[in-house]
Amino acid sequence: MDGIEKTSIQDIDFGDASKNILTLPMVALRGKVILPNVFTSFDVGRIKSLNAINAAVDKNDSLIFVAVQRDARKENPLANEVCSIGTVCRIKHLTRMPGDNVRVNVDALYCAQIVINAKDDTKYFTVGIREVYPDYGDENETEAYLRFVKNELNRYVSSDSTKLNKDLFSTILTVEKADEFVNAATYSMNFKESEKQRILELTNVKDKLFRFYQLLVHELEIAKAEKDISDRIKASVEKSQREFYLREQLKAIHAELGDNENEKEELAQKIKDKKMPKEVEEKALKELFRMGKMNPSSPDYMVLNTYLDWLLDLPFAEESTDREDLTEAIQILNDDHYGLEKVKERIVEYLAVLKLTGKVGGSILCLYGPPGVGKTSIAKSVARALNRKFVRMSLGGVKDEAEIRGHRKTYVGAIPGRIIYAMKEAGTVNPVILLDEIDKLSSDLRGDPASALLEVLDPEQNATFRDRYLEIPYDLSKVLFITTANSLDTIPAPLRDRMEIIELNGYTRNEKCEIAKRYLISKSINKNGLNENKIEFKENAVYRLIDGYTREAGVRTLEREIGSVCRKVATLVAEGKRRRKYTVGEKEVKELLGAERFSYTDELREDEVGACTGLAWTAVGGTTLTVEVALMKGKGELFLTGKLGDVMKESAKIAHSFVKLHAEELGVLDEEFSSHDVHIHVPEGATPKDGPSAGVTMVTAITSAFTGRKVRGDIAMTGEVTLRGKVLPIGGLKEKSLAAFRLGIKNVIMPKANVKDLEEIPENIRKEMKFIPVDTVDGVLKNALLK
């Protein structure tokens, strides 16, 4: 508050009265004068003020002295820059406000004057004050003044032009003490703060009433002038100009309140320039019109403002130009990834259709395969090859349908769903959006996000996708959606039906070596602060890492092991122990990483009775498993262990029944079954196992146990068996064959119906392995059991 002059109250010789001096903490207020006999509140946030409040509360009486600073623009006023006349208040309640502020509710008790000034270098102002008593003078004259002022105030409050709180002033008019009345009335009037301070500093009650009356007359004249101006304007404005007048008056009100009317005009222009579809533009302008009629401090105003910001941030006409040069696109895909021919071929087909028709093919690609084979990175390369923006959206663990469709904007804190958020992030209408880990979606009572994705991933529907927050149709038809999954079993059938499945199988040993040489080694060298002059990997070192330190379908663990070697070499370089180029061979790998974690030769089985190697498929690629069978004296019961699933348990029972049915052909006496219990165990009991493809493995192991014939240790097998001894086809032959190859097993017994799948196995591996197709159990036993 500007312009408050120093008080001119005459100094008093206190003499013995100095014992009435009271020492209190002081708060300097900005732009607010508190008068006695009122209950009010004020906010404090400055350190000195907060310290003063805390000091007052710590005392039993909770008294504090408040006075207004002369210059409201000063952030940290000195003690002599605060008015010497103020009010002693009792703190009633404190409320914590946002931004470390505190709202203080006080009961203003009496007027007081500073007689001992505060020091500026303390944590808070502490002043010595003395109460200033009101001087009533001639009581009859004062009473006459009081009645006269009350009548004038009542007339002003009752007039139609006033905007004061009539109920509040009805209570004030009942106050009988002149000093209390003038204090309460002054505080509640819309006087300037400097005038309120002037009335506070007057000690003579008659002078206070007289000054209050002068200010009241001034307010009456202003109200009368406003009414005259309003009447003259209304009389001169024609009916056709009424709307214009109201808008101008609204602009004046907004300008007085500090609102920016131009902002709404700018928003309207932005909406028109955005090139939105007609339906969307009409919706946006309608919401803008609603917003213009609201108070800016209203919560609904902010909701609509945020909504319009979202509409303006979304792309409607912005589109990136697709790369039409197929040769260049193929080169980008080959530069970024080794292998993955199926994916590259499909992307090239997509580009070819786009080039010929100028339209998106409309298919949704699902890259399906074990972890670490490059599903996410190939999606980034697709975006680069197409010259489109790329946005990744992880769906792992998403349970709420609103994550996809958004919340209605009536909810507090509502935002659009992830699809719209991805479009905003991309900034174009034709990005590549990767829906990562789509098989990890789950559902609960809040809905099923997989069902919400049906509309998003359906080319026939996503041209009019409706997000609950936006409440408008949004075109997703130009978006290339790519999804990734480790397993198809957990993806709902309707959702799976909308996607084109492209399977990415595990890499062979040679492919992993090539990927390491082309990408992983250089990436790890740069990541660890090295260069090609400080470290070099020999090819045999890479093969040693693949064979001895990793066992995976992809190359993620291989990348970590290469990174581990680089970090150890970087440590040697940083410590100054190695100045020459470090060449990493087989020997150096073992020195840096320690003993090998996996040994394929050690895991190769010897020829044994009652043990057979089977092949299985998992979400992370193929693997081998051993089926063990033990005979014990008993009553012919069958025991199954190894955490087997229902289908695998049924396969075990079928295998046991088959051997019993063909006991004579196999050379087993019938009494052997009735006098022995059969225990089938599949090791790694903590790992769940299921599926029918271990049927032939169990038949072979059971037959071996009863006949005493050894099972070849250099052979693995897969296939479902029936009670009639037929061997039925299975899935995942490529992954299972690669698992056998990694283990060093070169002979694989497989169903004859799967011969067509051998083409999927890399040619170099097919040449090194021997595949034995069979269609009956007799063929299995003939090749697996030794005589």
Side-chain angles (χ1 to χ4, degrees):
M1 182 179 60
D2 297 329
I4 294 183
E5 300 177 354
K6 290 187 178 182
T7 178
S8 59
I9 291 184
Q10 184 178 1
D11 293 332
I12 302 170
D13 183 11
F14 298 104
D16 293 337
S18 62
K19 63 185 180 181
N20 293 326
I21 296 174
L22 184 62
T23 303
L24 292 176
M26 179 180 75
V27 171
L29 298 181
R30 286 197 289 188
K32 184 170 181 130
V33 176
I34 295 179
L35 287 90
N37 312 116
V38 297
F39 186 84
T40 186
S41 65
F42 56 88
D43 294 347
V44 293
R46 294 181 287 193
I47 299 299
K48 272 198 171 186
S49 300
L50 290 170
N51 289 339
I53 294 296
N54 291 332
V57 171
D58 289 342
K59 296 182 179 181
N60 293 331
D61 51 10
S62 296
L63 293 180
I64 193 161
F65 180 72
V66 295
V68 69
Q69 62 189 64
R70 295 189 181 90
D71 188 351
R73 294 170 297 183
K74 270 219 164 189
E75 179 64 27
N76 297 302
L78 301 175
N80 61 0
E81 293 173 336
V82 180
C83 292
S84 60
I85 300 292
T87 305
V88 174
C89 302
R90 175 169 278 114
I91 297 173
K92 291 294 188 182
H93 184 68
L94 300 178
T95 305
R96 297 289 174 189
M97 303 295 289
D100 296 330
N101 290 342
V102 175
R103 177 158 293 173
V104 186
N105 295 87
V106 297
D107 189 4
L109 303 178
Y110 55 84
C111 178
Q113 180 184 12
I114 298 174
V115 294
I116 301 176
N117 285 327
K119 294 180 180 180
D120 292 320
D121 58 352
T122 56
K123 289 185 178 180
Y124 58 89
F125 292 132
T126 303
V127 293
I129 58 100
R130 185 184 66 82
E131 183 176 354
V132 177
Y133 295 96
D135 177 16
Y136 278 87
D138 187 341
E139 291 187 3
N140 292 331
E141 191 175 359
T142 301
E143 180 64 24
Y145 266 96
L146 176 61
R147 292 181 182 180
F148 176 74
V149 170
K150 279 188 175 182
N151 287 335
E152 291 300 312
L153 179 61
N154 187 37
R155 185 167 66 87
Y156 173 67
V157 171
S158 303
S159 65
D160 295 334
S161 59
T162 182
K163 297 177 182 178
L164 296 176
N165 187 330
K166 291 180 171 56
D167 294 335
L168 173 63
F169 278 90
S170 297
T171 305
I172 293 174
L173 289 168
T174 61
V175 177
E176 295 183 358
K177 277 194 171 185
D179 184 54
E180 294 180 7
F181 164 76
V182 74
N183 286 336
T186 302
Y187 181 78
S188 303
M189 288 293 292
N190 296 325
F191 297 156
K192 292 181 179 179
E193 297 301 319
S194 57
E195 293 294 346
K196 292 182 180 181
Q197 178 66 23
R198 183 177 174 184
I199 290 176
L200 175 66
E201 293 175 356
L202 293 172
T203 56
N204 188 281
V205 178
K206 184 183 70 174
D207 293 343
K208 282 189 172 189
L209 288 167
F210 181 71
R211 183 56 191 160
F212 178 84
Y213 174 68
Q214 288 179 319
L215 296 172
L216 183 62
V217 169
H218 182 65
E219 289 293 321
L220 283 166
E221 290 174 353
I222 291 174
K224 184 179 178 183
E226 286 179 346
K227 189 173 185 304
D228 290 344
I229 292 169
S230 178
D231 290 343
R232 285 200 301 272
I233 292 174
K234 286 180 181 178
S236 62
V237 174
E238 298 178 3
K239 188 175 182 180
S240 61
Q241 295 177 310
R242 178 172 177 78
E243 184 178 347
F244 172 79
Y245 163 75
L246 290 173
R247 291 191 178 278
E248 290 300 311
Q249 193 176 48
L250 188 61
K251 281 185 181 179
I253 292 170
H254 283 302
E256 188 67 26
L257 293 173
D259 298 334
N260 189 1
E261 183 66 19
N262 292 331
E263 184 180 348
K264 297 182 181 65
E265 295 177 1
E266 290 173 7
L267 275 174
Q269 191 59 44
K270 284 181 181 179
I271 291 170
K272 292 173 183 175
D273 296 341
K274 186 68 177 174
K275 297 179 181 178
M276 300 176 178
K278 185 178 179 182
E279 181 182 349
V280 179
E281 183 176 318
E282 288 175 357
K283 170 79 172 174
L285 292 174
K286 180 182 176 182
E287 297 295 349
L288 179 62
F289 178 75
R290 282 182 59 207
M291 190 177 80
K293 297 170 69 175
M294 293 179 181
N295 187 335
S297 61
S298 166
D300 288 343
Y301 182 93
M302 295 307 299
V303 169
L304 290 178
N305 196 19
T306 305
Y307 175 79
L308 291 175
D309 285 344
W310 268 101
L311 285 183
L312 291 172
D313 288 341
L314 282 176
F316 287 96
E318 299 86 349
E319 187 173 353
S320 57
T321 305
D322 285 320
R323 194 188 310 275
E324 295 185 358
D325 189 342
L326 295 183
T327 306
E328 189 178 354
I330 293 170
Q331 185 61 43
I332 290 172
L333 292 172
N334 288 331
D335 289 344
D336 289 351
H337 290 84
Y338 177 77
L340 304 177
E341 300 304 330
K342 278 189 178 180
V343 184
K344 293 176 182 177
E345 183 182 344
R346 182 64 187 85
I347 298 305
V348 173
E349 291 172 1
Y350 178 89
L351 287 170
V353 173
L354 183 67
K355 184 176 181 179
L356 294 175
T357 64
K359 297 178 182 179
V360 178
S363 58
I364 313 298
L365 305 182
C366 177
L367 306 179
Y368 152 65
V373 295
K375 297 186 294 296
T376 302
S377 59
I378 192 69
K380 291 181 182 177
S381 294
V382 168
R384 201 160 77 87
L386 290 171
N387 192 34
R388 291 189 178 190
K389 294 291 183 68
F390 175 79
V391 182
R392 175 182 171 272
M393 199 172 94
S394 178
L395 297 178
V398 173
K399 296 181 178 181
D400 191 354
E401 181 197 4
E403 291 274 354
I404 307 299
R405 291 185 181 276
H407 298 84
R408 298 194 185 282
K409 65 176 183 285
T410 50
Y411 292 109
V412 176
I415 57 172
R418 291 194 181 196
I419 300 296
I420 295 298
Y421 204 97
M423 295 302 296
K424 176 188 173 184
E425 187 180 344
T428 62
V429 295
N430 62 337
V432 174
I433 295 182
L434 175 66
L435 304 177
D436 213 4
E437 310 289 0
I438 197 169
D439 57 323
K440 309 297 190 302
L441 283 171
S442 54
S443 60
D444 61 8
L445 54 88
R446 290 170 292 185
D448 183 7
S451 300
L453 280 174
L454 292 177
E455 181 184 2
V456 176
L457 299 181
D458 190 337
E460 303 298 326
Q461 299 182 45
N462 61 12
T464 55
F465 171 70
R466 279 187 177 269
D467 185 275
R468 288 200 186 108
Y469 180 85
L470 296 181
E471 299 174 333
I472 57 167
Y474 190 80
D475 187 2
L476 298 174
S477 61
K478 295 182 180 180
V479 178
L480 174 57
F481 287 102
I482 299 178
T483 67
T484 68
N486 297 130
S487 172
L488 298 178
D489 298 336
T490 56
I491 303 176
L495 185 58
R496 191 165 62 243
D497 183 58
R498 282 164 169 78
M499 300 185 293
E500 180 180 344
I501 309 296
I502 299 178
E503 188 173 356
L504 279 70
N505 297 307
Y507 295 115
T508 65
R509 185 170 178 264
N510 294 339
E511 286 175 335
K512 288 182 181 179
C513 182
E514 194 65 32
I515 291 169
K517 289 192 293 183
R518 291 193 185 191
Y519 310 106
L520 304 183
I521 292 175
S522 58
K523 180 181 176 182
S524 293
I525 288 174
N526 295 330
K527 186 178 179 181
N528 291 285
L530 301 171
N531 55 51
E532 294 178 355
N533 296 324
K534 293 181 179 179
I535 186 172
E536 178 187 4
F537 280 81
K538 289 184 178 178
E539 188 172 282
N540 61 2
V542 178
Y543 277 119
R544 179 53 53 203
L545 286 170
I546 295 169
D547 295 337
Y549 296 88
T550 68
R551 181 163 296 177
E552 57 177 344
V555 292
R556 198 166 283 160
T557 305
L558 177 60
E559 183 178 4
R560 281 197 290 268
E561 296 300 331
I562 293 172
S564 180
V565 171
C566 290
R567 285 194 299 275
K568 292 184 184 299
V569 174
T571 303
L572 295 175
V573 173
E575 291 175 348
K577 296 179 180 179
R578 187 81 183 187
R579 299 188 182 278
R580 291 181 292 108
K581 186 175 184 178
Y582 197 103
T583 302
V584 182
E586 286 191 61
K587 180 182 175 183
E588 287 75 16
V589 167
K590 192 169 184 180
E591 289 175 356
L592 293 172
L593 298 183
E596 294 183 4
R597 298 182 183 88
F598 308 102
S599 175
Y600 291 106
T601 55
D602 290 347
E603 292 189 17
L604 281 174
R605 289 192 310 100
E606 299 292 334
D607 298 339
E608 295 180 72
V609 173
C612 184
T613 302
L615 298 174
W617 180 93
T618 69
V620 294
T623 186
T624 59
L625 53 83
T626 302
V627 175
E628 299 176 345
V629 175
L631 301 181
M632 304 165 290
K633 288 192 175 183
K635 300 178 180 180
E637 295 183 10
L638 177 65
F639 300 100
L640 304 173
T641 56
K643 203 168 185 181
L644 310 183
D646 291 339
V647 176
M648 202 165 183
K649 287 179 181 178
E650 290 175 357
S651 293
K653 292 175 183 177
I654 291 170
H656 184 241
S657 298
F658 174 83
V659 176
K660 287 175 72 175
L661 286 169
H662 299 81
E664 185 177 345
E665 299 171 28
L666 298 173
V668 182
L669 299 175
D670 289 339
E671 53 266 23
E672 290 289 322
F673 291 99
S674 58
S675 62
H676 289 86
D677 292 337
V678 179
H679 185 167
I680 300 178
H681 176 66
V682 183
E684 296 186 26
T687 306
K689 310 165 192 74
D690 204 0
S693 63
V696 294
T697 313
M698 291 180 175
V699 168
T700 305
I702 295 171
T703 303
S704 171
F706 275 106
T707 62
R709 294 169 66 185
K710 290 183 179 181
V711 181
R712 289 171 57 185
D714 64 343
I715 200 164
M717 60 189 70
T718 180
E720 181 181 353
V721 71
T722 69
L723 284 173
R724 296 179 297 159
K726 300 291 184 182
V727 179
L728 302 182
I730 44 81
L733 181 64
K734 178 185 176 183
E735 288 82 1
K736 293 175 180 179
S737 302
L738 292 177
F741 184 78
R742 285 198 297 267
L743 193 62
I745 297 175
K746 302 296 179 68
N747 302 295
V748 174
I749 296 175
M750 52 169 276
K752 202 169 188 177
N754 284 109
V755 171
K756 63 182 185 301
D757 299 325
L758 290 175
E759 294 180 4
E760 297 180 4
I761 301 171
E763 186 177 354
N764 61 322
I765 292 180
R766 285 207 310 270
K767 289 181 179 179
E768 292 191 40
M769 297 184 70
K770 180 182 179 183
F771 293 94
I772 306 168
V774 296
D775 53 7
T776 64
V777 172
D778 291 339
V780 176
L781 300 178
K782 181 180 178 181
N783 287 282
L785 295 179
L786 297 173
K787 294 183 180 179

PDB file of all heavy atoms in Angstrom, residues 215-234:
ATOM      1  N   LEU A 215     -15.962  10.167   4.363  1.00  0.00           N
ATOM      2  CA  LEU A 215     -15.697   9.098   3.398  1.00  0.00           C
ATOM      3  C   LEU A 215     -16.989   8.466   2.894  1.00  0.00           C
ATOM      4  O   LEU A 215     -17.102   8.087   1.720  1.00  0.00           O
ATOM      5  CB  LEU A 215     -14.820   8.019   4.044  1.00  0.00           C
ATOM      6  CG  LEU A 215     -13.416   8.455   4.457  1.00  0.00           C
ATOM      7  CD1 LEU A 215     -12.723   7.362   5.246  1.00  0.00           C
ATOM      8  CD2 LEU A 215     -12.591   8.825   3.225  1.00  0.00           C
ATOM      9  N   LEU A 216     -18.017   8.388   3.790  1.00  0.00           N
ATOM     10  CA  LEU A 216     -19.298   7.818   3.394  1.00  0.00           C
ATOM     11  C   LEU A 216     -19.982   8.697   2.355  1.00  0.00           C
ATOM     12  O   LEU A 216     -20.555   8.202   1.372  1.00  0.00           O
ATOM     13  CB  LEU A 216     -20.187   7.655   4.632  1.00  0.00           C
ATOM     14  CG  LEU A 216     -21.551   6.993   4.407  1.00  0.00           C
ATOM     15  CD1 LEU A 216     -21.373   5.572   3.884  1.00  0.00           C
ATOM     16  CD2 LEU A 216     -22.356   6.978   5.706  1.00  0.00           C
ATOM     17  N   VAL A 217     -19.903  10.004   2.551  1.00  0.00           N
ATOM     18  CA  VAL A 217     -20.488  10.935   1.578  1.00  0.00           C
ATOM     19  C   VAL A 217     -19.806  10.771   0.219  1.00  0.00           C
ATOM     20  O   VAL A 217     -20.448  10.794  -0.833  1.00  0.00           O
ATOM     21  CB  VAL A 217     -20.350  12.394   2.095  1.00  0.00           C
ATOM     22  CG1 VAL A 217     -20.700  13.393   0.982  1.00  0.00           C
ATOM     23  CG2 VAL A 217     -21.256  12.615   3.293  1.00  0.00           C
ATOM     24  N   HIS A 218     -18.480  10.583   0.267  1.00  0.00           N
ATOM     25  CA  HIS A 218     -17.735  10.388  -0.979  1.00  0.00           C
ATOM     26  C   HIS A 218     -18.208   9.128  -1.707  1.00  0.00           C
ATOM     27  O   HIS A 218     -18.390   9.142  -2.934  1.00  0.00           O
ATOM     28  CB  HIS A 218     -16.239  10.289  -0.640  1.00  0.00           C
ATOM     29  CG  HIS A 218     -15.362  10.125  -1.844  1.00  0.00           C
ATOM     30  ND1 HIS A 218     -15.233  11.106  -2.818  1.00  0.00           N
ATOM     31  CD2 HIS A 218     -14.571   9.082  -2.236  1.00  0.00           C
ATOM     32  CE1 HIS A 218     -14.410  10.672  -3.753  1.00  0.00           C
ATOM     33  NE2 HIS A 218     -13.989   9.439  -3.414  1.00  0.00           N
ATOM     34  N   GLU A 219     -18.445   8.066  -0.944  1.00  0.00           N
ATOM     35  CA  GLU A 219     -18.931   6.827  -1.538  1.00  0.00           C
ATOM     36  C   GLU A 219     -20.336   7.014  -2.126  1.00  0.00           C
ATOM     37  O   GLU A 219     -20.659   6.461  -3.185  1.00  0.00           O
ATOM     38  CB  GLU A 219     -18.955   5.703  -0.492  1.00  0.00           C
ATOM     39  CG  GLU A 219     -17.586   5.201  -0.070  1.00  0.00           C
ATOM     40  CD  GLU A 219     -16.854   4.501  -1.187  1.00  0.00           C
ATOM     41  OE1 GLU A 219     -17.503   3.771  -1.961  1.00  0.00           O
ATOM     42  OE2 GLU A 219     -15.625   4.690  -1.297  1.00  0.00           O
ATOM     43  N   LEU A 220     -21.171   7.789  -1.413  1.00  0.00           N
ATOM     44  CA  LEU A 220     -22.526   8.068  -1.924  1.00  0.00           C
ATOM     45  C   LEU A 220     -22.478   8.815  -3.245  1.00  0.00           C
ATOM     46  O   LEU A 220     -23.250   8.526  -4.175  1.00  0.00           O
ATOM     47  CB  LEU A 220     -23.308   8.878  -0.886  1.00  0.00           C
ATOM     48  CG  LEU A 220     -23.849   8.099   0.324  1.00  0.00           C
ATOM     49  CD1 LEU A 220     -24.291   9.066   1.428  1.00  0.00           C
ATOM     50  CD2 LEU A 220     -25.019   7.221  -0.098  1.00  0.00           C
ATOM     51  N   GLU A 221     -21.564   9.787  -3.341  1.00  0.00           N
ATOM     52  CA  GLU A 221     -21.442  10.555  -4.586  1.00  0.00           C
ATOM     53  C   GLU A 221     -20.977   9.669  -5.740  1.00  0.00           C
ATOM     54  O   GLU A 221     -21.460   9.796  -6.870  1.00  0.00           O
ATOM     55  CB  GLU A 221     -20.454  11.713  -4.373  1.00  0.00           C
ATOM     56  CG  GLU A 221     -21.001  12.797  -3.442  1.00  0.00           C
ATOM     57  CD  GLU A 221     -19.947  13.860  -3.129  1.00  0.00           C
ATOM     58  OE1 GLU A 221     -18.783  13.659  -3.538  1.00  0.00           O
ATOM     59  OE2 GLU A 221     -20.284  14.856  -2.476  1.00  0.00           O
ATOM     60  N   ILE A 222     -20.026   8.739  -5.438  1.00  0.00           N
ATOM     61  CA  ILE A 222     -19.538   7.838  -6.488  1.00  0.00           C
ATOM     62  C   ILE A 222     -20.663   6.918  -6.966  1.00  0.00           C
ATOM     63  O   ILE A 222     -20.858   6.711  -8.168  1.00  0.00           O
ATOM     64  CB  ILE A 222     -18.347   6.998  -5.966  1.00  0.00           C
ATOM     65  CG1 ILE A 222     -17.131   7.889  -5.750  1.00  0.00           C
ATOM     66  CG2 ILE A 222     -18.005   5.862  -6.927  1.00  0.00           C
ATOM     67  CD1 ILE A 222     -15.965   7.183  -5.101  1.00  0.00           C
ATOM     68  N   ALA A 223     -21.450   6.385  -5.998  1.00  0.00           N
ATOM     69  CA  ALA A 223     -22.549   5.494  -6.357  1.00  0.00           C
ATOM     70  C   ALA A 223     -23.592   6.231  -7.198  1.00  0.00           C
ATOM     71  O   ALA A 223     -24.134   5.687  -8.166  1.00  0.00           O
ATOM     72  CB  ALA A 223     -23.187   4.929  -5.097  1.00  0.00           C
ATOM     73  N   LYS A 224     -23.837   7.474  -6.817  1.00  0.00           N
ATOM     74  CA  LYS A 224     -24.818   8.270  -7.565  1.00  0.00           C
ATOM     75  C   LYS A 224     -24.313   8.542  -8.989  1.00  0.00           C
ATOM     76  O   LYS A 224     -25.074   8.449  -9.965  1.00  0.00           O
ATOM     77  CB  LYS A 224     -25.075   9.579  -6.831  1.00  0.00           C
ATOM     78  CG  LYS A 224     -26.151  10.450  -7.484  1.00  0.00           C
ATOM     79  CD  LYS A 224     -26.371  11.719  -6.683  1.00  0.00           C
ATOM     80  CE  LYS A 224     -27.415  12.604  -7.384  1.00  0.00           C
ATOM     81  NZ  LYS A 224     -27.604  13.888  -6.656  1.00  0.00           N
ATOM     82  N   ALA A 225     -23.021   8.849  -9.106  1.00  0.00           N
ATOM     83  CA  ALA A 225     -22.437   9.127 -10.418  1.00  0.00           C
ATOM     84  C   ALA A 225     -22.490   7.872 -11.299  1.00  0.00           C
ATOM     85  O   ALA A 225     -22.797   7.951 -12.494  1.00  0.00           O
ATOM     86  CB  ALA A 225     -21.000   9.607 -10.264  1.00  0.00           C
ATOM     87  N   GLU A 226     -22.173   6.709 -10.701  1.00  0.00           N
ATOM     88  CA  GLU A 226     -22.232   5.472 -11.469  1.00  0.00           C
ATOM     89  C   GLU A 226     -23.640   5.198 -11.972  1.00  0.00           C
ATOM     90  O   GLU A 226     -23.832   4.751 -13.114  1.00  0.00           O
ATOM     91  CB  GLU A 226     -21.760   4.302 -10.595  1.00  0.00           C
ATOM     92  CG  GLU A 226     -20.265   4.260 -10.362  1.00  0.00           C
ATOM     93  CD  GLU A 226     -19.860   3.094  -9.473  1.00  0.00           C
ATOM     94  OE1 GLU A 226     -20.751   2.494  -8.847  1.00  0.00           O
ATOM     95  OE2 GLU A 226     -18.654   2.810  -9.396  1.00  0.00           O
ATOM     96  N   LYS A 227     -24.612   5.457 -11.101  1.00  0.00           N
ATOM     97  CA  LYS A 227     -26.009   5.229 -11.503  1.00  0.00           C
ATOM     98  C   LYS A 227     -26.423   6.181 -12.625  1.00  0.00           C
ATOM     99  O   LYS A 227     -27.085   5.780 -13.579  1.00  0.00           O
ATOM    100  CB  LYS A 227     -26.927   5.415 -10.297  1.00  0.00           C
ATOM    101  CG  LYS A 227     -28.379   4.992 -10.556  1.00  0.00           C
ATOM    102  CD  LYS A 227     -29.183   5.041  -9.277  1.00  0.00           C
ATOM    103  CE  LYS A 227     -30.598   4.509  -9.522  1.00  0.00           C
ATOM    104  NZ  LYS A 227     -31.328   5.189 -10.582  1.00  0.00           N
ATOM    105  N   ASP A 228     -25.984   7.444 -12.524  1.00  0.00           N
ATOM    106  CA  ASP A 228     -26.323   8.417 -13.571  1.00  0.00           C
ATOM    107  C   ASP A 228     -25.707   8.016 -14.907  1.00  0.00           C
ATOM    108  O   ASP A 228     -26.346   8.088 -15.953  1.00  0.00           O
ATOM    109  CB  ASP A 228     -25.832   9.812 -13.161  1.00  0.00           C
ATOM    110  CG  ASP A 228     -26.641  10.383 -11.998  1.00  0.00           C
ATOM    111  OD1 ASP A 228     -27.737   9.841 -11.730  1.00  0.00           O
ATOM    112  OD2 ASP A 228     -26.167  11.331 -11.339  1.00  0.00           O
ATOM    113  N   ILE A 229     -24.426   7.579 -14.845  1.00  0.00           N
ATOM    114  CA  ILE A 229     -23.747   7.173 -16.088  1.00  0.00           C
ATOM    115  C   ILE A 229     -24.461   5.976 -16.702  1.00  0.00           C
ATOM    116  O   ILE A 229     -24.712   5.918 -17.914  1.00  0.00           O
ATOM    117  CB  ILE A 229     -22.268   6.823 -15.789  1.00  0.00           C
ATOM    118  CG1 ILE A 229     -21.499   8.080 -15.403  1.00  0.00           C
ATOM    119  CG2 ILE A 229     -21.606   6.161 -17.003  1.00  0.00           C
ATOM    120  CD1 ILE A 229     -20.120   7.815 -14.842  1.00  0.00           C
ATOM    121  N   SER A 230     -24.811   5.009 -15.852  1.00  0.00           N
ATOM    122  CA  SER A 230     -25.483   3.808 -16.341  1.00  0.00           C
ATOM    123  C   SER A 230     -26.827   4.154 -16.969  1.00  0.00           C
ATOM    124  O   SER A 230     -27.188   3.628 -18.025  1.00  0.00           O
ATOM    125  CB  SER A 230     -25.664   2.823 -15.196  1.00  0.00           C
ATOM    126  OG  SER A 230     -26.342   1.675 -15.621  1.00  0.00           O
ATOM    127  N   ASP A 231     -27.564   5.050 -16.305  1.00  0.00           N
ATOM    128  CA  ASP A 231     -28.881   5.441 -16.841  1.00  0.00           C
ATOM    129  C   ASP A 231     -28.741   6.133 -18.180  1.00  0.00           C
ATOM    130  O   ASP A 231     -29.533   5.895 -19.108  1.00  0.00           O
ATOM    131  CB  ASP A 231     -29.594   6.353 -15.840  1.00  0.00           C
ATOM    132  CG  ASP A 231     -30.026   5.596 -14.588  1.00  0.00           C
ATOM    133  OD1 ASP A 231     -30.059   4.344 -14.648  1.00  0.00           O
ATOM    134  OD2 ASP A 231     -30.293   6.232 -13.549  1.00  0.00           O
ATOM    135  N   ARG A 232     -27.715   7.027 -18.298  1.00  0.00           N
ATOM    136  CA  ARG A 232     -27.537   7.764 -19.560  1.00  0.00           C
ATOM    137  C   ARG A 232     -27.156   6.814 -20.694  1.00  0.00           C
ATOM    138  O   ARG A 232     -27.656   6.942 -21.813  1.00  0.00           O
ATOM    139  CB  ARG A 232     -26.451   8.830 -19.388  1.00  0.00           C
ATOM    140  CG  ARG A 232     -26.905  10.054 -18.593  1.00  0.00           C
ATOM    141  CD  ARG A 232     -26.000  11.262 -18.866  1.00  0.00           C
ATOM    142  NE  ARG A 232     -24.609  10.977 -18.526  1.00  0.00           N
ATOM    143  CZ  ARG A 232     -24.066  11.153 -17.330  1.00  0.00           C
ATOM    144  NH1 ARG A 232     -24.827  11.626 -16.339  1.00  0.00           N
ATOM    145  NH2 ARG A 232     -22.803  10.888 -17.114  1.00  0.00           N
ATOM    146  N   ILE A 233     -26.274   5.833 -20.381  1.00  0.00           N
ATOM    147  CA  ILE A 233     -25.844   4.892 -21.424  1.00  0.00           C
ATOM    148  C   ILE A 233     -27.012   4.018 -21.874  1.00  0.00           C
ATOM    149  O   ILE A 233     -27.249   3.820 -23.070  1.00  0.00           O
ATOM    150  CB  ILE A 233     -24.691   4.019 -20.899  1.00  0.00           C
ATOM    151  CG1 ILE A 233     -23.438   4.876 -20.692  1.00  0.00           C
ATOM    152  CG2 ILE A 233     -24.390   2.872 -21.856  1.00  0.00           C
ATOM    153  CD1 ILE A 233     -22.299   4.134 -20.039  1.00  0.00           C
ATOM    154  N   LYS A 234     -27.786   3.525 -20.875  1.00  0.00           N
ATOM    155  CA  LYS A 234     -28.927   2.663 -21.213  1.00  0.00           C
ATOM    156  C   LYS A 234     -29.951   3.409 -22.057  1.00  0.00           C
ATOM    157  O   LYS A 234     -30.583   2.847 -22.943  1.00  0.00           O
ATOM    158  CB  LYS A 234     -29.572   2.152 -19.943  1.00  0.00           C
ATOM    159  CG  LYS A 234     -28.755   1.066 -19.238  1.00  0.00           C
ATOM    160  CD  LYS A 234     -29.441   0.598 -17.974  1.00  0.00           C
ATOM    161  CE  LYS A 234     -28.603  -0.457 -17.263  1.00  0.00           C
ATOM    162  NZ  LYS A 234     -29.211  -0.903 -16.001  1.00  0.00           N
TER     163      LYS A 234
END
